[in-house]
Amino acid sequence: MAKRRRRRSWSRTLLLIVFVSAAVYAGVHCLFRAPQVQAQDDQEETPVQEEETDPEAAAAAAALAAHTERKDNFYTILVSGVDDGNGGSDTNILVAVDAENGKIHGVSIARDTKAIINGKDHKINFAYNSGGSELLAQTISEQLGIPVDFTVTVDLTGFIALVDAIGGVDFNVPINMNYDDPIQGLSIHFSKGMQHLSGQEAMEVVRFRHNNDGTGYGSEDIGRMQTQQDFLMAVAEQTLTLSNVDKVGTFAQIFQQYVDTDLTLGNLAWLGKEAITMGPESISFSTLPGTWKKPYIYLDQEAVLTLVNESLNPYVEDRVMEDLNIPS
């Protein structure tokens, strides 16, 4: 039965599929190229003459340069899942690719996270609706005190096609799922346990929040995010191999149709090669820590700073609280 698609969190799953498909495809059609990021001192120039005549200015410039020295082969990529045709961004995950040390860490950013956008209080997913990927990346960068180097925006209709293109996914459904919404033509029915999911079935599992009688995870969004992260790991284990080489043409076609990014195909090829080399055991996930107090999730500033420095910081020096700009 046909089901109406809704905005949900698909970008976690799509990221690695995109990397892998782009890596194989671009290996034939272009050179592998590591992404290039703009240095901080290229963005904020201080007049040389002033530095030479003012020791304090020179010291400040030197301190800034040290505080913004980049790690080698470390990139931050914001992946957003957007609604089919309606322009919404329901999923945002900031992915740190530490190719130098062979690690990939993704941090989910709850859509209800409080943010200041255009001078007013909003939920953070409003940034995409207001200014697209650019404003969303800027908002996240300002809050976390680190740059967002690149963005990847995924058309949600590609989720089903991508999962089907890899032949479906074996996944351990965490709980019994029984939910119906006749108005939206939505029907989700799965038994707990290991199952082979098609693209449509996978979409239903990762979008599930609660049963018809109100039971389910007990914490709808938190439980759902955990299921999505577990599903991504299952996809990584079954996708980060060369066994899908014969499906390169299909991957490339879907990639070109559903993904919008400022990374070049050569960049994605390089990232895909790195992801394959690292393997799924080098991939981890977490959620930006915060507390729900209607209507927002308020971020825990100390916990966020720790997470940034442990997993997201592309700079050699640790970030300090003054670098963050988290609204209270």
Side-chain angles (χ1 to χ4, degrees):
M1 179 173 62
K3 300 176 179 64
R4 178 180 172 182
R5 296 170 180 138
R6 298 167 63 190
R7 292 184 288 175
R8 293 298 179 198
S9 302
W10 317 136
S11 61
R12 298 171 178 82
T13 304
L14 289 166
L15 176 68
L16 290 177
I17 302 177
V18 165
F19 280 178
V20 172
S21 58
V24 181
Y25 177 71
V28 177
H29 294 275
C30 67
L31 296 176
F32 289 76
R33 296 185 179 90
Q36 299 294 315
V37 296
Q38 186 176 11
Q40 182 72 19
D41 53 7
D42 289 340
Q43 302 174 37
E44 300 180 11
E45 296 183 359
T46 302
V48 175
Q49 185 175 1
E50 179 182 345
E51 292 183 13
E52 291 176 347
T53 58
D54 186 345
E56 291 186 3
L64 176 61
H67 196 53
T68 55
E69 180 185 355
R70 297 276 309 215
K71 299 173 183 175
D72 292 333
N73 293 324
F74 194 112
Y75 309 97
T76 57
I77 304 168
L78 175 62
V79 181
S80 300
V82 299
D83 177 57
D84 294 330
N86 294 320
S89 170
D90 252 10
T91 289
N92 299 296
I93 177 169
L94 186 59
V95 178
V97 179
D98 183 359
E100 195 72 12
N101 295 299
K103 297 178 182 178
I104 297 176
H105 187 79
V107 176
S108 302
I109 302 172
R111 57 188 176 180
D112 292 338
T113 300
K114 185 179 181 181
I116 306 299
I117 302 169
N118 298 327
K120 297 181 179 180
D121 293 348
H122 289 284
K123 297 179 180 181
I124 202 165
N125 68 340
F126 176 78
Y128 186 91
N129 299 68
S130 180
S133 295
E134 183 177 355
L135 181 58
L136 179 60
Q138 177 185 331
T139 303
I140 292 171
S141 176
E142 289 176 353
Q143 286 203 353
L144 302 185
I146 57 175
V148 174
D149 296 325
F150 304 100
T151 61
V152 174
T153 305
V154 184
D155 188 328
L156 303 187
T157 58
F159 179 86
I160 292 176
L162 285 166
V163 174
D164 284 339
I166 62 174
V169 176
D170 294 325
F171 183 65
N172 191 13
V173 178
I175 60 175
N176 293 328
M177 298 180 176
N178 291 287
Y179 180 74
D180 298 279
D181 186 343
I183 296 177
Q184 300 190 49
L186 182 64
S187 181
I188 301 174
H189 296 283
F190 296 94
S191 298
K192 178 181 179 180
M194 183 65 69
Q195 301 187 45
H196 185 78
L197 303 178
S198 66
Q200 179 64 40
E201 291 168 337
M203 177 178 278
E204 293 169 358
V205 167
V206 299
R207 70 188 288 184
F208 173 82
R209 300 178 69 182
H210 58 78
N211 291 308
N212 291 323
D213 61 4
T215 63
Y217 293 123
S219 53
E220 294 183 5
D221 282 338
I222 294 175
R224 185 178 58 149
M225 283 191 291
Q226 183 62 56
T227 294
Q228 291 162 353
Q229 292 177 357
D230 291 343
F231 183 77
L232 172 57
M233 288 307 304
V235 171
E237 291 168 359
Q238 296 169 54
T239 307
L240 289 182
T241 69
L242 297 179
S243 61
N244 288 311
V245 171
D246 60 336
K247 300 172 183 175
V248 169
T250 301
F251 285 155
Q253 183 179 9
I254 295 171
F255 168 79
Q256 291 176 327
Q257 182 175 358
Y258 294 112
V259 177
D260 183 23
T261 180
D262 51 2
L263 289 160
T264 69
L265 193 57
N267 294 157
L268 287 164
W270 186 89
L271 290 164
K273 174 179 65 68
E274 294 297 316
I276 291 172
T277 301
M278 295 177 202
E281 64 276 4
S282 298
I283 302 168
S284 58
F285 295 93
S286 63
T287 300
L288 210 59
T291 301
W292 167 256
K293 186 177 180 181
K294 191 175 182 179
Y296 301 113
I297 290 178
Y298 292 85
L299 296 181
D300 182 329
Q301 298 189 21
E302 292 287 346
V304 168
L305 180 60
T306 298
L307 176 58
V308 166
N309 284 325
E310 287 181 349
S311 302
L312 295 174
N313 184 17
Y315 296 124
V316 174
E317 283 192 3
D318 279 355
R319 299 301 88 186
V320 296
M321 192 60 68
E322 290 72 20
D323 293 314
L324 275 60
N325 186 19
I326 296 174
S328 58

